[in-house]
Amino acid sequence: MSTFAEGAELAPVSALPDAHIASSDELSGKPKRKGSIGMTIILTLVALLWISPLVLLVITALRPLSDFVANGPLAWPQEWTLQNFADAWGVGNFATTYRNSGFLLILKVPLGVLISAMLAFALAKLRLRFGAAIMFAVFLGLTIPIYITIVPVFILQHGRH
C-alpha cells in the first residue's frame, strides 16, 4: 500500500529549496583537516602539563621515603619500591574500607536505584497532592554537594573507636 496518491509525481531532490547534493569528497569518508600542527603541539603540551601531577604522584609512590627526603620531590628516584603500598594498606585500614564499599555496592546501590525509579515514576505519572513540594525537595537535595557530608561521616566513624 503506497502512501502517495495515485498519479502524484515526486520532485527531484535539486528542486527542493534547501537541497544539498553531496560531492564525491563528502561521500568518500576521508576526514577533513580541522586543525594544524601548531594546535596539535599546543594541545599536547597542555595535556602533558595537565597529567604531570598524576605522574609525580605515581613516581613519589614508587620511591622510598629516604630517597624522597634526600633528593627532593622532583628528583628522579635512585631506587624503586612497592613497600609504600603495603604500608598504606596497613595504616589506612583498607581491608575494612573495601569490605564496607562492597557491602554498599551490593545492598545500597540496587536499593537506591529501585526507590529512585519508583519515585521518578510517581512524580512523572501520578497526580500527587504534594508532588511539586516533593520534586522541590529532591532538587534541593541534589544541590548539596556530597563533600559536605564527608567530614561528619568521617568523624562519626572514627569517633567510635
Side-chain angles (χ1 to χ4, degrees), residues 20-135:
H20 171 72
I21 299 174
S23 65
S24 62
D25 291 340
E26 292 174 344
L27 298 175
S28 67
K30 294 180 183 175
K32 292 182 180 179
R33 287 186 59 119
K34 296 197 178 201
S36 64
I37 189 74
M39 183 59 78
T40 303
I41 292 171
I42 289 171
L43 290 175
T44 302
L45 292 174
V46 168
L48 289 174
L49 182 67
W50 192 279
I51 195 133
S52 62
L54 179 64
V55 171
L56 187 62
L57 176 83
V58 170
I59 290 174
T60 302
L62 291 172
R63 64 194 291 197
L65 181 61
S66 59
D67 183 57
F68 181 81
V69 171
N71 299 324
L74 297 178
W76 192 253
Q78 301 296 321
E79 57 183 295
W80 301 89
T81 183
L82 294 175
Q83 185 60 39
N84 293 334
F85 295 100
D87 294 343
W89 184 272
V91 170
N93 199 10
F94 282 101
T96 303
T97 304
Y98 279 114
R99 187 174 53 250
N100 292 343
S101 296
F103 178 74
L104 289 176
L105 175 71
I106 292 170
L107 289 179
K108 184 182 180 288
V109 172
L111 189 62
V113 169
L114 177 68
I115 292 171
S116 298
M118 290 189 300
L119 177 65
F121 178 81
L123 289 175
K125 297 292 183 183
L126 304 176
R127 299 288 172 225
L128 300 174
R129 176 177 239 167
F130 299 107
I134 295 171
M135 185 67 84

